Amino acid sequence: MRGIGEVARASGLAVSALRFYDSAGVLVPAEVDPATGYRRYSESQLLAARLIAGLRRVGMPVAEIARAVAHLPDPPAVRALLDDYQQRLEDGLTDARHELTRLRHLLAPGLNSLEITMTSISLPADALSAALDAVRFAASIDPDLPMINGVLLETRPDSLTLVATDRYRLAVAESAATITGPPTRLVAPLPFIDALRPLLSPGIVTLDLTPATISAQTPSGRLDTSPLDVDFPDHRALTSAAPSADARSIQADAPTLRAAVHAATPIHRDLQGTPYELAILTLDPTGTLLRTADESDWSEDSPTHIAVNREFLLQALAATGPGQLTLELDGPIKPLAVRTPTTYSILMPVRH
């Protein structure tokens, strides 16, 4: 048996706190001296005292602390209680960040606070990482085309869509997210996107969007920028175009197709003095599998052939990750589409 002072020192709880939890029925001593009222605790109660001390430090209410102590003989049940409380803390922190961001904008000089609207997006960091990786390859800096020098952020009631394009290809990724505020459509500058990606360690990310600011609160830090004042291309007009009667949807294993494209002999071309390589894809005789082809097999009249920039194709395939994907072939002069359940990219064809 341990005295109350010894338990206080070993657990980090003050003697007065131990008396409080006794009176609250949370941690009742194993025995109390009837003459002196001195409390004694069993060895097993020391673990409960340490648990209480930790839960006090994170602000858990007394009633929930009592539940955790009562479930100590069942460790998985206690872990479930801890997980639930942690999630509530994280949700509360997200709400607090939203409100603090709103207040910062409220105090911003030169802005009419009554006209400020903000949309907040919360999602797991790994989901945002995957979405960024699925579109970043299709974006580039072009001083002559400022409207494409960023990544489009577009919200729906329960999802975030990211879009990037450099005219020769377009990539779209969608991720489930918690959205509060009005629908919004802003273009984040590429330097902001590239600075954000390394900050996406495990946890929850919050993006706060206003017409004047984009703020990202990540587990590794905060990042702020201003959206680009540009008219981003209408990606839906490209991705929702009706296919022709000859269009084919082909299932493929992403790693296998990447290996085949790597192994195929590159076809060298030049665009305005810049060299690049082609990859030619064609349907096999059964019409069910895309395979690489030689230049001698390339026919612009055949609906089963298409030639695309080899580097662009490899990047698009790498962005899908492992597993199955769908390639949509609609003849030699229409874009090649690469689709997964949450991503979509198109590559413009190359003509003879």
Side-chain angles (χ1 to χ4, degrees):
M1 303 294 287
R2 294 174 178 256
I4 190 171
E6 187 180 359
V7 172
R9 290 189 295 272
S11 67
L13 285 172
V15 170
S16 59
L18 286 167
R19 290 174 180 152
F20 168 78
Y21 287 112
D22 176 12
S23 63
V26 177
L27 184 61
V28 178
E31 62 180 43
V32 179
D33 189 303
T36 64
Y38 191 77
R39 297 167 173 83
R40 294 185 182 276
Y41 296 82
S42 66
E43 188 69 25
S44 62
Q45 288 182 302
L46 180 57
L47 173 60
R50 287 172 172 163
L51 176 66
I52 292 169
L55 296 179
R56 274 169 55 97
R57 284 193 289 272
V58 297
M60 181 177 279
V62 173
E64 295 182 52
I65 291 177
R67 288 177 58 202
V69 172
H71 283 87
L72 259 181
D74 183 9
V78 178
R79 292 191 191 100
L81 292 171
L82 300 183
D83 291 343
D84 178 70
Y85 185 65
Q86 179 176 337
Q87 185 61 56
R88 284 157 47 205
L89 287 177
E90 291 174 352
D91 292 343
L93 181 58
T94 297
D95 291 341
R97 285 171 174 161
H98 291 172
E99 186 63 17
L100 290 170
T101 298
R102 187 188 69 81
L103 293 174
R104 290 189 187 97
H105 291 303
L106 188 68
L107 299 172
L111 292 178
N112 184 343
S113 61
L114 297 178
E115 297 177 355
I116 293 175
T117 58
M118 183 173 70
T119 300
S120 292
I121 307 162
S122 295
L123 71 168
D126 58 353
L128 182 56
S129 298
L132 289 175
D133 293 344
V135 303
R136 178 60 181 88
F137 75 95
S140 63
I141 296 291
D142 187 337
D144 296 327
L145 296 168
M147 74 288 295
I148 62 173
N149 294 345
V151 171
L152 176 67
L153 308 177
E154 189 174 66
T155 63
R156 291 187 173 186
D158 57 0
S159 66
L160 170 67
T161 299
L162 279 66
V163 188
T165 182
D166 64 358
R167 294 184 299 159
Y168 305 106
R169 51 196 168 161
L170 180 142
V172 181
E174 185 171 321
S175 179
T178 300
I179 311 293
T180 59
T184 191
R185 192 174 191 267
L186 295 177
V187 180
L190 279 183
F192 171 83
I193 295 296
D194 292 338
L196 174 62
R197 181 61 181 84
L199 299 179
L200 300 180
S201 54
I204 298 296
V205 177
T206 300
L207 301 174
D208 292 315
L209 311 181
T210 75
T213 60
I214 300 176
S215 300
Q217 184 65 52
T218 80
S220 300
R222 181 184 175 87
L223 202 60
D224 300 282
T225 191
S226 297
L228 298 179
D229 184 15
V230 296
D231 186 13
F232 196 85
D234 183 5
H235 66 96
R236 300 193 187 280
L238 291 171
T239 57
S240 61
S244 71
D246 294 324
R248 309 286 185 92
S249 291
I250 309 299
Q251 301 298 312
D253 177 71
T256 300
L257 185 56
R258 283 200 300 270
V261 175
H262 271 295
T265 301
I267 301 166
H268 299 280
R269 285 288 186 273
D270 183 276
L271 177 64
Q272 299 176 351
T274 302
Y276 69 98
E277 296 176 345
L278 280 183
I280 300 175
L281 298 178
T282 186
L283 290 173
D284 70 356
T286 68
T288 59
L289 181 68
L290 273 176
R291 62 179 177 83
T292 56
D294 296 328
E295 188 171 11
S296 59
D297 297 327
W298 183 13
S299 171
E300 285 196 346
D301 298 325
S302 170
T304 63
H305 283 72
I306 190 168
V308 294
N309 183 300
R310 179 174 180 268
E311 179 185 5
F312 291 177
L313 176 59
L314 287 170
Q315 290 175 339
L317 295 175
T320 66
Q324 294 290 304
L325 53 81
T326 300
L327 293 114
E328 298 173 355
L329 177 63
D330 196 7
I333 62 173
K334 290 188 176 179
L336 174 70
V338 181
R339 189 187 294 273
T340 73
T342 58
T343 66
Y344 183 86
S345 63
I346 60 173
L347 307 177
M348 299 305 293
V350 177
R351 306 293 299 275
H352 263 306

